[in-house]
RNA sequence: GCGGGAGUGCCGGAGCGGUCAAACGGGCACGGCUUAGAACCGUGUGCCUCAGUGGCUUCGUAGGUUCGAAUCCUACCUCCCGCACCA
């Protein structure tokens, strides 16, 4: 290596840190910009290029905005509570705290070596009591408002994690942390956060966000809003509401289906059918969650009949495996003719199929139907509603039922309350006390934080149960002996408000200073992976809205703009420790320097796309850096041509725009093109402007080169501005004409060579109106490797033995070779 | 099944109505430099043609809109990613 890039990197990283140039504080007159990457869980294995990519994308943006004159908040911290640390602790016999702190130390070291421009003074670690104290405080506020509650419910249980999970942590019937572990459904008493109270707002406000469309869609689907009506069916003299979005099919209902998990199922099961139903339940319970979803639709008659409130018909009620207990009312009205599931079920159990909606263009017939007709149409056999369009009928029938008080329009959400209690150690203790006399009593705010005890035994059950001293506590109400809650909070709680704490990370009096948060929030640019679409990215919106309602925030949404970066692949699959295809930044750095790695990662493709890491590829970036290095070490500062100035200004304009829109790859290409057209002498403005723009991608080498002429930091220099009047479109066109000419010349040379002639001299004849070609003698010479002469066609003294000059046309010079 | 995205040269990947045989990088070939190699520099890299600056065929497949399409529309195929019995 001709240049010791590693040395340069270290030197500037240290200098930046010592000069504290990336530290910020609120400045009234200065426009702020908050750039944030989703903070990492500090895994024991450290970070590889895949992780690095994420931070580098953010760093470029932060540097760019900073140079543009914004007061940029760009912090980093660690989401340091979580199961992996606890599991590692058990495996390696090391305390989770020690394990985590070591991992964090390693992360910091690695991140610093990437040249990231964080304000490290604001670092937060969620496992520290100074942070999780406020998790507990928020919990208590929610408790006060009735937003957290304890309930016995059917919950997702991961036998591997040995804890309950939130719905968002179940992927395809399996645990989000254990791809091969099937979730069990258990009935347990757990703590829930009533996120559903905010479902409407969470759903509707998605439209206000400038987020990638797919993420917005995923959230909308997850929250799942649907309009419908609860219709009252009478079963055994009692009223049971049944939710449907299709009241227009009410005349086609031939049976009801109740979920096998319905809490009040046995109220409607008759004595005669009890055995049968129990047998059925036993069978489903022995089937795994995933298989139930794939299972054929099955059910058993409950023995009861329901009365259709409109038709007064008696219809049988079945208990079924395909009805969800947690959605709607857990009972559905079944219209086999117009719902595929109902159709399949009816076919299997020989239940009647009754058509009440006919399509416009053909006529359905019960006997010939192969599948349900679920589209719109005209109502038939529907009493007074016959003949209406189904869409219209939905409204009319709903109106009618509301009038008669047999139904009520409702909005249903798919989103469920957030189960936040975990039966594990390494998390925020839930700040409540169980008292035999008083029940569940919140820990008084002034006693926060409830510090996680360090002396516990791992391996069996919840380790907190072994912290005997810690468990014992006086009931705050009756002062008698009581017991602490041993459940801890889901780690997603910690990450739901960390972005607020960055605004005031050391406050020990309050969760944060309202004014400081007001200054920095919202996050102007958030960067992270799409995998958080339905968990973190919903939770942090929910927290924001809740804290707003507490009067602590004045914003409705935590972040307006979100960017999803692509994944880094290697050898065809996503880079990951478990696949064993990781590339470590420190190793790349040793060989090529971290600037080359940054440049390569960002020039490969648009940063929102997946990219493939190749060792060859980075060599290309490295070569370019060497070229830049050499050039700047010998360039003379002087004047630039009008042509170059035009190109420079155009580049500034375009690169500014490209970076703003995350088209880093395009920006880099344009910078490379600008660099390629540099001469041995260029103006200071141009050279410095290039370095400044390039510095957001390769901060170390540019900082070093900058210091040849300056003693300020390029990292906080002012972003170059372009002068529109210097951009001359014609120069571009002329350049293209010259390229074309060179192509023609080379084509000719190739032809001649095929005929055994090797030309040495080149004569070009241009029309007097195309004078600009004369300026390119050197370029043409270089690109053709021929001794080059350019004449104007009206030049009396031109050398032209074959009268080629006659052939010259506008923008098509004549060529003679010999 | 539903939703989102993508299919471009040997490869990665730009382009998203004309300036496109297609940026930039990688690979490969040739030439220069060199004792030789590495590095570096230049050229070429769809096909044909030619002392020329021209023709033909290409951007998943098939149609369509247009004076004009890789770019717009329609259908289909393939791939990736989410959600998945939500009534």
């Amino acid at each position: 290596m001709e240049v010791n890039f590693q040395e340069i990197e270290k030197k500037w990283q240290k200098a930046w840190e010592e000069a504290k140039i990336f530290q910020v504080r609120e400045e009234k007159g200065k426009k702020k910009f908050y750039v944030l990457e989703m903070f990492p869980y500090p895994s024991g294995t450290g970070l590889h290029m895949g992780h690095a990519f994420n931070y580098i994308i953010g760093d470029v943006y932060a540097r760019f905005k900073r140079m543009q004159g914004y007061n940029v908040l760009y912090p980093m911290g660690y989401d340091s509570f979580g199961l992996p640390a606890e599991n590692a602790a058990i495996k390696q016999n090391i305390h989770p705290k020690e394990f985590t702190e070591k991992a964090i130390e390693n992360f910091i070291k690695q991140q610093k070596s990437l040249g990231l421009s964080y304000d490290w003074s604001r670092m937060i670690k969620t496992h520290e009591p100074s942070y999780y104290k406020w998790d507990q405080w928020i919990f208590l506020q929610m408790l006060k408002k009735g937003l957290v509650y304890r309930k016995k419910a059917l919950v997702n249980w991961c036998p591997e994690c040995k804890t309950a999970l939130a719905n968002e942590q179940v992927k395809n019937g399996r645990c989000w942390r254990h791809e091969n572990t099937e979730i069990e459904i258990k009935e347990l008493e757990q703590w829930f956060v009533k996120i559903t109270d905010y479902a409407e707002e969470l759903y509707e406000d998605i439209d206000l966000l400038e987020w990638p469309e797919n993420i917005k869609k995923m959230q909308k689907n997850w929250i799942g809003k649907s309009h419908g009506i609860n219709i009252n069916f009478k079963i055994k003299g009692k009223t049971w509401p049944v939710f449907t979005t299709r009241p227009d099919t009410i005349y086609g209902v031939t049976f009801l289906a109740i979920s096998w998990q319905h809490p009040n199922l046995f109220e409607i099961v008759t004595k005669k059918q009890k055995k049968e139903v129990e047998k059925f339940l036993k069978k489903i319970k022995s089937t795994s969650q995933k298989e139930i979803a794939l299972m054929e639709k099955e059910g058993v008659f409950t023995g009861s009949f329901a009365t259709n409130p409109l038709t007064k018909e008696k219809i049988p009620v079945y208990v079924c495996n395909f009805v969800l207990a947690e959605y709607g009312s857990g009972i559905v009205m079944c219209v086999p003719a117009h719902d595929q599931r109902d159709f399949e079920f009816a076919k299997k159990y020989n239940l009647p199929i009754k058509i009440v909606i006919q399509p416009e263009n053909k006529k359905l017939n019960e006997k010939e139907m192969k599948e349900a007709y679920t589209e719109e149409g005209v109502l038939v056999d529907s009493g007074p509603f016959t003949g209406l369009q189904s869409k219209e009928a939905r409204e009319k029938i709903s109106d009618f039922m509301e009038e008669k008080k047999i139904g009520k329009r409702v909005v249903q959400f798919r989103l469920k309350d957030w189960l936040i209690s975990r039966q594990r150690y390494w998390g925020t203790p839930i700040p409540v006390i169980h008292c035999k006399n008083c029940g569940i009593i919140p820990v008084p705010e002034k006693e926060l934080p409830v510090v996680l005890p360090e002396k516990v035994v791992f391996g069996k059950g919840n380790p907190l149960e072994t912290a005997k001293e810690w468990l014992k506590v006086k009931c705050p109400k009756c002062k008698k002996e009581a017991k602490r809650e041993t459940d801890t909070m889901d780690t997603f709680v910690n990450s739901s408000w960390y972005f607020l704490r960055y605004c005031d990370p050391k406050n020990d009096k309050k969760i944060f200073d309202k004014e400081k948060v007001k200054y920095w929030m919202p996050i102007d640019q958030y960067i992270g992976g799409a995998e958080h679409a339905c968990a973190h990215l919903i939770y942090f919106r929910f927290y924001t809205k809740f804290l707003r309602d507490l009067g602590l925030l004045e914003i409705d949404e935590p972040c307006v703009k979100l960017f999803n970066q692509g994944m880094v692949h290697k050898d065809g699959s996503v880079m990951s420790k478990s696949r064993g295809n990781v590339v470590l930044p420190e190793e790349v750095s040793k060989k090529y320097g971290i600037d080359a790695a940054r440049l390569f990662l960002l020039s490969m493709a648009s940063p929102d796309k997946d990219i493939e890491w190749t060792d060859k590829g980075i060599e290309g970036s490295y070569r370019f850096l060497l070229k830049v290095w050499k050039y700047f070490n010998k360039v003379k500062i002087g004047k630039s041509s009008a042509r170059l100035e035009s190109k420079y200004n155009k580049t500034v304009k375009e690169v500014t725009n490209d970076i703003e829109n995350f088209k880093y790859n395009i920006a880099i290409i344009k910078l490379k093109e600008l660099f390629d057209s540099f001469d041995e002498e260029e103006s200071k403005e141009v050279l410095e402007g290039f370095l400044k723009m390039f510095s957001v991608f390769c901060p170390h080498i540019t900082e070093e080169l900058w210091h040849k002429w300056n003693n300020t930091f390029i990292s906080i220099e002012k972003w170059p501005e372009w002068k529109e009047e210097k951009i001359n479109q014609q120069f571009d066109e002329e350049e293209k004409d010259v390229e074309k000419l060179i192509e023609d010349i080379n084509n000719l040379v190739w032809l001649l060579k095929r005929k055994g002639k090797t030309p040495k001299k080149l004569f070009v004849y241009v029309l007097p109106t195309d004078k600009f070609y004369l300026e390119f003698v050197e370029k043409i010479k270089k690109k053709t490797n021929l001794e080059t002469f350019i004449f104007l066609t009206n030049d009396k003294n031109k050398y032209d033995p074959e009268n080629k000059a006659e052939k010259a046309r506008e923008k098509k010079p004549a060529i003679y070779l010999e």
Side-chain angles (χ1 to χ4, degrees), chain A residues 84-102:
Chain A
E86 191 172 339
N87 292 337
I90 296 166
K91 232 179 175 171
Q92 303 169 25
N93 199 24
I94 170 176
H95 194 278
K97 187 175 170 201
E98 194 189 329
F99 177 86
T100 300
E101 284 175 356
K102 256 191 195 157

Side-chain angles (χ1 to χ4, degrees), chain A residues 572-732:
Chain A
S573 52
V574 178
M575 195 178 281
S576 74
K577 176 81 187 174
S578 61
R579 284 193 181 80
N581 60 350
V582 294
V583 176
L584 300 176
E586 44 271 41
E587 275 166 26
V588 174
S589 181
K590 226 180 269 169
K591 213 163 161 192
Y592 304 105
I594 204 65
D595 279 345
R598 291 175 59 123
L599 186 64
F600 170 64
L601 285 171
L602 299 174
S603 56
M604 261 313 268
S606 171
D608 56 336
K609 295 223 166 123
D610 289 356
I611 56 170
E612 173 86 16
W613 178 274
T614 58
D615 296 336
K616 277 280 176 217
I618 189 171
E619 279 177 31
S621 296
Y622 176 68
R623 275 201 286 269
F624 181 72
L625 285 187
L626 277 181
K627 264 198 266 183
V628 171
W629 178 262
K630 280 187 199 154
Y631 174 79
F632 275 89
N633 272 296
K634 63 163 211 265
V635 66
K636 282 201 257 346
I637 294 175
K639 273 191 76 178
S640 291
S641 65
R643 223 170 258 289
L644 196 277
E645 294 231 313
S646 166
K647 186 160 200 158
Y648 167 75
N649 281 282
K650 195 173 163 216
T651 305
V652 173
K653 181 180 178 179
E654 292 179 355
V655 165
T656 303
N657 195 37
D658 289 337
I659 297 178
E660 180 73 42
N661 295 304
F662 284 96
K663 293 162 143 186
Y664 294 170
N665 54 330
I666 306 299
I668 290 168
I669 285 165
K670 284 174 187 156
L671 286 174
K672 282 185 180 176
E673 279 173 350
L674 173 64
F675 176 79
D676 280 341
S677 37
F678 279 168
D679 248 313
E680 287 148 32
E681 175 185 315
E682 294 293 354
S683 77
K684 199 167 182 220
E685 186 202 351
V686 166
L687 293 173
E688 294 193 343
F690 170 81
L691 281 183
K692 284 180 190 173
M693 290 188 281
F694 199 49
S695 76
V696 298
F697 302 111
C698 300
H700 308 94
I701 176 177
T702 45
E703 192 74 79
E704 178 77 19
L705 290 170
W706 176 258
H707 280 257
K708 290 170 71 67
W709 309 311
N710 301 285
N711 49 22
T712 53
F713 285 106
I714 196 171
S715 298
I716 46 172
E717 271 293 319
K718 198 164 177 310
W719 188 257
E721 278 169 12
W722 71 90
K723 296 185 193 76
E724 196 65 45
E725 69 274 13
K726 290 214 171 176
I727 301 173
N728 186 342
Q729 209 53 46
Q730 200 174 335
F731 287 147
D732 281 352

Side-chain angles (χ1 to χ4, degrees), chain A residues 20 59 97 128-129 210 313 472 490 527 628 722 738 776:
Chain A
K20 302 184 171 153
D59 183 56
K97 187 175 170 201
E128 291 183 340
E210 287 174 54
E313 270 176 288
K472 266 193 255 166
D490 182 1
I527 297 155
V628 171
W722 71 90
V738 172
F776 289 90

Side-chain angles (χ1 to χ4, degrees), chain A residues 328-599:
Chain A
S329 53
I331 311 182
V332 295
M333 57 177 230
C334 296
V335 188
H338 306 294
D339 182 284
Q340 189 54 30
R341 293 155 300 186
D342 303 349
F343 182 84
E344 286 169 31
F345 192 83
K347 278 278 175 206
K348 183 164 171 155
Y349 294 97
N350 260 321
L351 291 158
I353 295 170
K354 195 179 161 207
I355 293 171
V356 289
I357 290 175
Q358 286 288 1
E360 306 272 289
N361 45 7
K362 60 176 180 202
K363 199 155 159 57
L364 298 173
N365 176 315
E366 275 99 358
K367 292 195 185 73
E368 287 163 15
M369 280 180 100
K370 292 268 183 308
E371 56 180 18
Y373 177 75
T374 56
E375 314 284 303
E376 305 287 337
V378 177
L379 269 67
V380 295
D381 294 327
S382 296
F385 304 100
T386 303
L388 289 177
Q389 287 290 330
S390 46
K391 231 179 179 163
E392 198 189 346
R394 280 205 274 285
E395 299 311 315
K396 287 260 161 75
I397 292 177
S398 298
D399 288 344
F400 180 80
M401 290 200 276
E402 285 197 319
E403 217 173 278
K404 297 273 174 202
K405 304 239 185 305
I406 51 178
K408 193 164 188 309
R409 280 192 174 88
V410 285
V411 174
Q412 269 293 332
F413 290 97
R414 203 185 149 274
L415 185 72
K416 283 161 208 150
D417 279 343
W418 175 16
L419 194 168
I420 56 155
S421 43
R422 298 289 178 275
Q423 292 68 55
R424 296 297 296 246
Y425 167 75
W426 195 233
T428 303
I430 291 180
V432 300
I433 290 162
H434 295 265
C435 171
K436 278 198 182 113
N437 305 316
C438 314
I440 293 172
I441 302 297
V443 172
E445 275 179 35
K446 59 179 188 299
E447 284 175 26
L448 295 183
V450 175
V451 178
L452 193 66
E454 287 190 25
K455 278 193 184 158
V456 292
V457 182
F458 295 99
K460 242 171 94 187
N462 185 341
L464 280 178
E465 297 284 356
T466 66
K468 295 286 182 249
E469 283 309 303
W470 178 82
L471 279 176
K472 266 193 255 166
V473 66
K474 289 235 152 48
C475 169
K477 209 170 160 192
C478 69
K479 309 293 174 202
K480 284 189 186 143
E481 192 100 319
K483 188 182 167 221
R484 284 194 189 278
E485 167 71 64
T486 54
D487 278 2
T488 54
M489 297 185 204
D490 182 1
T491 54
F492 277 110
V493 164
N494 307 300
S495 57
S496 290
W497 66 281
Y498 74 108
F499 50 94
L500 297 167
R501 187 69 180 171
Y502 279 139
C503 302
D504 189 13
K506 299 197 170 78
N507 198 328
D508 57 1
K509 302 275 182 302
K510 286 185 284 186
I511 181 167
F512 49 70
D513 180 83
K514 226 180 124 175
E515 288 305 310
K516 287 184 177 171
V517 165
K518 189 177 167 187
Y519 177 80
W520 292 114
M521 285 300 287
I523 301 161
D524 295 284
Q525 184 64 62
Y526 201 22
I527 297 155
E531 68 275 15
H532 292 105
C534 295
H536 166 64
L537 289 174
I538 292 185
Y539 298 147
F540 91 134
R541 294 181 58 220
F542 162 66
Y543 259 61
T544 301
K545 291 174 188 298
F546 172 69
L547 293 171
R548 174 204 61 194
D549 290 348
L550 272 191
L552 294 173
L553 297 176
E554 294 179 16
I555 47 168
D556 297 316
E557 287 289 338
C559 108
V560 182
K561 285 192 174 177
L562 171 71
F563 183 85
N564 284 136
Q565 85 280 10
M567 306 262 233
V568 178
H569 292 235
K570 172 96 197 298
D571 307 324
S573 52
V574 178
M575 195 178 281
S576 74
K577 176 81 187 174
S578 61
R579 284 193 181 80
N581 60 350
V582 294
V583 176
L584 300 176
E586 44 271 41
E587 275 166 26
V588 174
S589 181
K590 226 180 269 169
K591 213 163 161 192
Y592 304 105
I594 204 65
D595 279 345
R598 291 175 59 123
L599 186 64

Side-chain angles (χ1 to χ4, degrees), chain A residues 35-172:
Chain A
V35 182
L36 185 65
E37 292 129 22
M38 291 179 188
F39 70 163
Y41 170 76
S43 77
T45 52
L47 54 87
H48 59 244
M49 276 300 172
H51 305 117
F53 187 45
N54 182 225
Y55 308 124
I56 291 166
I57 291 169
D59 183 56
V60 169
Y61 215 77
R63 285 176 178 275
F64 172 62
K65 285 290 164 191
R66 199 178 286 125
M67 290 175 82
Q68 278 192 325
Y70 289 92
N71 193 19
V72 173
L73 175 59
Y74 183 48
M76 181 41 64
Y78 300 92
D79 191 10
S80 43
F81 267 139
L83 256 185
E86 191 172 339
N87 292 337
I90 296 166
K91 232 179 175 171
Q92 303 169 25
N93 199 24
I94 170 176
H95 194 278
K97 187 175 170 201
E98 194 189 329
F99 177 86
T100 300
E101 284 175 356
K102 256 191 195 157
I104 291 177
E105 221 170 278
N106 184 35
F107 255 69
I108 294 172
K109 201 177 118 228
Q110 281 190 299
Q111 284 177 310
K112 283 192 175 168
S113 71
L114 296 174
L116 307 173
S117 59
Y118 295 130
D119 176 352
W120 286 105
S121 72
R122 290 173 182 262
M123 181 181 0
I124 54 184
K125 303 167 187 166
T126 63
H127 76 282
E128 291 183 340
S130 59
Y131 182 84
Y132 68 69
K133 171 182 178 180
W134 302 107
D135 278 327
Q136 296 172 336
W137 182 82
I138 295 171
F139 180 93
L140 294 179
Q141 308 314 308
M142 288 186 172
L143 194 64
K144 261 191 236 167
K145 302 262 177 201
L147 274 176
V148 284
Y149 63 93
R150 205 168 147 82
K151 189 179 92 177
K152 193 167 194 177
L154 293 169
V155 303
N156 302 300
W157 175 271
C158 174
E160 195 71 30
C161 297
K162 297 190 178 61
T163 180
L165 297 175
N167 285 312
E168 288 77 11
Q169 290 164 331
V170 180
K171 302 278 163 209
N172 233 333

